[in-house]
Amino acid sequence: MRILLLGKTGQLGWELERTIAPLGEVYALGPQELNLTDLDALAGLIHKLQPQVIVNASAYTAVDRAESQVDLAMQLNAQAPAVMAKAARALNAALIHFSTDYVFDGENDSAYTEGDPTNPLNVYGQSKLNGELAIIEAGCAHLILRTSWVYSLRGDSFVSKTLAWARQQETLCIVSDQVGNPTWARMLAEITAAVLAQSMPAPQKYFSTRSGVYHLGGSGSVSRLDFARAILRLDPHAEQQKTRTLEAASTADFPTPARRPLHTSLDCSYFESTFGFRLPNWEDCLRLAMSEQPTNPGP
Ligand SMILES: NC(=O)c1ccc[n+]([C@@H]2O[C@H](COP(=O)([O-])OP(=O)(O)OC[C@H]3O[C@@H](n4cnc5c(N)ncnc54)[C@H](OP(=O)(O)O)[C@@H]3O)[C@@H](O)[C@H]2O)c1
């Protein structure tokens, strides 16, 4: 299978480059090889490489900065995926793309299903939703995997930040009114690779009968505050922590340029039943992720 992976330097892309390596001939690109704002170059490259599957882990993910960089966020999260989808359609290839819980407004009392209405509160969420719609409109075989609270210990994630804060501050104030599904980038990459393996040797045929939007995150939901508690508890180098108190704060206590949705738990049962997986619990994933923590994560 010939696979083009975009966004290889990101949290998810870094893991994907490793997990999809055994599946065939993989062309993995980051911004150094191809700037995705150059849409003509993107289209040209896809037509030159003729992949059977495009896996798009690239995105503009700076949620607050997106409020002032609207055009760039739209280019990377909507126009570039549209180019990928049109090229995939022309080549009879499939596109696997990642989206976000931020397409929702967070007002639901229960976990969001794929059929729930979208209503993004910020530019990032709107740009990701535009990307979803552009892919669907292009009509290629596709999977749009909406995920949430993605972390890796390599990236600048909530987990790595919490570990660093805990080494500097006696008291941490963490919001307790944001609830979501923490998703380990490794777990997301491994499940994506497993789905890709199921699609062999005819990925376009396999994905064309399963095309759609799916929710895919760590199983179970938690508040940011309880997520932070778990991070500190599972830290294998807890003796380095200075933090003695974790205090609950509300989102309103930390004004940010972008509004954040509060309750964005994702119901992932449609993905599980379609592809035959049982998604691991977020806390089990966190335990595994933390067991790889380097000796001194540092500030
Ligand atoms: N992080 C989260 O909490 C979260 C939550 C929900 C959904 N998601 C979605 O999950 C997917 C993966 O997220 P992630 O956390 O792995 O993102 P990430 O770490 O920010 O990685 C994004 C990737 O896109 C690349 N990129 C950015 N601008 C580019 C450009 N102009 N040209 C080429 N490449 C460019 C980045 O390159 P450099 O970094 O090297 O510049 C990086 O490789 C995305 O679709 C995201 O929207 C993420």
Side-chain angles (χ1 to χ4, degrees):
M1 184 152 67
R2 228 171 17 262
I3 305 171
L4 171 61
L5 168 66
L6 298 162
K8 72 167 183 180
T9 53
Q11 298 193 92
L12 174 61
W14 193 88
E15 300 288 354
L16 274 169
E17 187 176 3
R18 283 142 187 85
T19 53
I20 66 176
L23 297 180
E25 205 179 330
V26 178
Y27 301 94
L29 305 181
Q32 297 225 312
E33 291 84 21
L34 177 68
N35 186 336
L36 291 169
T37 57
D38 187 343
L39 300 177
D40 290 337
L42 171 62
L45 188 95
I46 297 172
H47 284 280
K48 185 172 149 215
L49 294 177
Q50 305 246 320
Q52 289 162 283
V53 182
I54 302 167
V55 181
N56 180 29
S58 73
Y60 181 102
T61 54
V63 175
D64 286 318
R65 230 180 305 139
E67 297 297 308
S68 53
Q69 293 193 319
V70 181
D71 290 349
L72 185 58
M74 293 293 169
Q75 264 181 338
L76 291 167
N77 291 344
Q79 290 158 22
V83 168
M84 294 171 206
K86 284 180 195 152
R89 163 100 203 201
L91 292 172
N92 234 4
L95 172 62
I96 298 187
H97 175 79
F98 297 88
S99 189
T100 174
D101 54 332
Y102 277 22
V103 297
F104 296 116
D105 60 18
E107 300 285 333
N108 257 24
D109 291 333
S110 53
Y112 282 95
T113 66
E114 291 80 355
D116 282 321
T118 52
N119 183 28
L121 298 182
N122 55 45
V123 169
Y124 167 73
Q126 185 65 57
S127 68
K128 295 293 292 185
L129 179 60
N130 291 2
E132 291 185 4
L133 297 172
I135 292 168
I136 294 165
E137 193 188 328
C140 63
H142 65 270
L143 289 192
I144 295 170
L145 303 174
R146 278 188 196 142
T147 188
S148 71
W149 292 20
V150 177
Y151 67 88
S152 80
L153 290 180
R154 297 182 58 260
D156 186 25
S157 66
F158 182 73
V159 175
S160 44
K161 280 190 209 153
T162 302
L163 288 170
W165 294 329
R167 279 151 179 72
Q168 294 161 346
Q169 301 172 32
E170 289 212 348
T171 303
L172 292 188
C173 293
I174 308 284
V175 298
S176 59
D177 55 355
Q178 289 180 25
V179 175
N181 307 57
T183 305
W184 185 24
R186 171 87 48 86
M187 188 275 290
L188 188 54
E190 282 176 348
I191 291 177
T192 305
V195 172
L196 268 171
Q198 284 184 7
S199 78
M200 290 168 78
Q204 196 276 344
K205 191 168 165 218
Y206 180 86
F207 290 119
S208 63
T209 55
R210 295 164 180 82
S211 286
V213 175
Y214 296 87
H215 290 175
L216 173 54
S219 175
S221 57
V222 66
S223 71
R224 285 262 181 216
L225 177 65
D226 286 337
F227 187 26
R229 269 194 235 291
I231 294 165
L232 298 197
R233 193 178 63 250
L234 294 170
D235 178 359
H237 304 293
E239 75 286 353
Q240 296 174 2
Q241 293 176 13
K242 283 205 175 77
T243 299
R244 297 289 163 259
T245 317
L246 268 179
E247 276 180 11
S250 83
T251 299
D253 295 332
F254 298 104
T256 50
R259 268 180 79 199
R260 264 122 178 117
L262 295 184
H263 284 245
T264 58
S265 314
L266 298 177
D267 177 337
C268 302
S269 53
Y270 179 47
F271 178 88
E272 289 182 312
S273 61
T274 304
F275 297 101
F277 290 106
R278 187 196 143 272
L279 297 175
N281 176 267
W282 70 265
E283 198 164 354
D284 294 336
C285 289
L286 181 63
R287 184 173 299 107
L288 293 174
M290 296 293 272
S291 67
E292 290 186 344
Q293 195 194 331
T295 316
N296 186 1

